[in-house]
Amino acid sequence: MKEEELLRCQISEWYPKFSRHSIKTLILPIPDSFLRYLLDDDGPFLLPASPGGGDPLPRHPNSADPFFSDAELDGHGGDAIADPPSFPDLEIAVQRSILALGGSVFPKLNWSSPKDAAFMAPSGSLRCSAFSDIALLLKSSDCISHDLCHALDSCSDSSPSSIRFHLALRKWRGDLRPEMEFRCFVLRRRLVGICQREVTTFYPALKEKKSEIEGVIRVFFDGVVKGDFASEDYTFDVFIAGDGRVKILDFNPWGGYTLPLMFDWDELQRMADGGFEFKIVEDRCGVRPGLKTIVPFDYLDTAPGSGWDVFLRKVDDERQRQSISSEDSE
């Protein structure tokens, strides 16, 4: 993967071109002070104070926070824990954007959303209605740390680069159903594969709609994506809304940290000369069990020889064994 291919997949790069076919999004530059805050692991976990001076959780001893005990204060040598940081200009811009987007958003940085930190939010999701919600998710997320520190690690020609980081606030949509989300694989500007994104669940309705879904995505790719995305090899994620319209969720580079989900990269590469396949979980035996963790699926290591690779191969072997046993019993 080339650095330029990765940079094209930043939401600030692709969204302006495809905004009509995506979720309404407002993109804000992130000040250096907030970036330093996200990367600072040395001090206590403090959420930013609001412009009015309030600490949203509160998290320092002067606020009579029940989470701080005398023993914890003693651990700091008797020194008071610093007051929470404040980013008033960014918070004001974020709150205005949230209002403009209907009152609820989900956040992401250049490439990643803080999916792995959803368990930290009171709602258990990425739905945010305040700057403090967003700060909590971003500060808690390893995916966000990956964007900030390791985004270029998979690039064969990576060099010291000045990436400009942005905060993308995307309008919260209640109709975004996981069974209607799909990852599409493009090789040499040709659609070679599609698969469902949520691989840990069997959705019976997908079997009935598979042919229709394939047709809708093909038409969308040919008419919207193919001629306007500059890379030759890439993936893009979409969802199909209730009215049948296809909406782009994201673009991802080919290979690198992008997971092929129900495919493997060698299999997809062999389709370069004309192959195509659309994969869904066909039955309950075909789900990928054990992958519903706080780590997003896109960051699990399923490379050959990895622990997950061995585990998934055992799952496939067991599924085949059960299938043979079932046939023998008939």
Side-chain angles (χ1 to χ4, degrees):
M1 176 175 59
K2 301 293 186 182
E3 182 175 330
E4 65 178 0
E5 295 173 319
L6 177 67
L7 296 180
R8 286 191 194 112
C9 294
Q10 298 176 101
I11 190 168
S12 58
E13 292 294 320
W14 66 259
Y15 178 77
K17 185 177 295 186
F18 295 100
S19 58
R20 289 179 53 247
H21 304 283
S22 188
I23 298 171
K24 188 175 181 180
T25 302
L26 295 176
I27 300 173
L28 306 174
I30 300 179
D32 291 342
S33 57
F34 190 67
L35 290 176
R36 289 193 295 269
Y37 162 74
L38 293 179
L39 291 171
D40 181 16
D41 292 328
D42 294 333
F45 191 114
L46 297 175
L47 287 184
S50 71
D55 183 357
L57 273 189
R59 287 186 178 270
H60 59 85
N62 296 332
S63 61
D65 185 355
F67 293 107
F68 281 89
S69 65
D70 292 339
E72 288 175 304
L73 295 182
D74 291 341
H76 287 274
D79 296 332
I81 298 176
D83 286 338
S86 180
F87 309 96
D89 292 340
L90 179 61
E91 177 166 0
I92 291 170
V94 166
Q95 290 300 145
R96 287 175 177 169
S97 298
I98 291 174
L99 288 175
L101 292 170
S104 295
V105 301
F106 68 94
K108 68 177 295 177
L109 257 57
N110 295 30
W111 296 277
S112 305
S113 63
K115 294 179 290 186
D116 57 323
F119 73 100
M120 292 285 289
S123 66
S125 73
L126 298 187
R127 186 172 188 170
C128 297
S129 58
F131 177 65
S132 57
D133 300 334
I134 294 169
L136 174 64
L137 289 171
L138 298 181
K139 181 72 171 172
S140 306
S141 172
D142 288 336
C143 297
I144 296 304
S145 295
H146 178 275
D147 267 21
L148 295 175
C149 301
H150 302 290
L152 299 177
D153 287 1
S154 298
C155 298
S156 60
D157 61 343
S158 63
S159 58
S161 176
S162 178
I163 298 175
R164 299 186 64 182
F165 287 99
H166 294 83
L167 173 63
L169 301 177
R170 318 203 72 187
K171 182 180 178 66
W172 183 264
R173 294 192 55 145
D175 63 341
L176 215 166
R177 295 154 44 204
E179 68 269 27
M180 298 306 289
E181 296 180 36
F182 303 92
R183 175 156 294 175
C184 308
F185 299 86
V186 179
L187 182 61
R188 300 178 188 174
R189 300 190 183 278
R190 195 176 64 80
L191 187 65
V192 298
I194 304 171
C195 73
Q196 69 185 72
R197 290 183 74 196
E198 173 54 86
V199 297
T200 66
T201 306
F202 166 55
Y203 299 106
L206 282 185
K207 295 184 70 172
E208 302 172 6
K209 298 179 178 180
K210 185 176 179 181
S211 178
E212 175 186 346
I213 291 170
E214 178 185 332
V216 168
I217 292 177
R218 281 185 176 276
V219 169
F220 181 78
F221 170 69
D222 289 337
V224 175
V225 178
K226 185 176 182 178
D228 281 335
F229 196 73
S231 295
E232 291 192 352
D233 307 330
Y234 57 95
T235 76
F236 65 101
D237 297 336
V238 299
F239 81 95
I240 301 177
D243 59 7
R245 289 185 298 171
V246 180
K247 294 289 185 179
I248 297 172
L249 291 171
D250 215 351
F251 283 90
N252 300 291
W254 182 276
Y257 59 79
T258 306
L259 279 189
L261 300 180
M262 300 184 72
F263 293 96
D264 63 59
W265 291 115
D266 289 340
E267 177 185 9
L268 289 164
Q269 204 72 43
R270 289 193 293 270
M271 298 180 187
D273 295 329
F276 171 84
E277 189 170 359
F278 182 9
K279 291 189 177 186
I280 62 171
V281 177
E282 298 283 353
D283 53 47
R284 297 188 187 280
C285 292
V287 301
R288 298 292 180 106
L291 296 182
K292 286 188 175 178
T293 69
I294 62 171
V295 181
F297 190 84
D298 283 3
Y299 284 85
L300 291 172
D301 179 12
T302 57
S306 67
W308 280 113
D309 177 57
V310 172
F311 171 76
L312 294 174
R313 288 179 186 276
K314 289 182 178 179
V315 171
D316 289 339
D317 291 343
E318 177 62 17
R319 187 174 68 228
Q320 293 177 11
R321 187 191 66 78
Q322 291 179 4
S323 177
I324 293 172
S325 298
S326 176
E327 292 174 358
D328 290 344
S329 64
E330 294 176 358

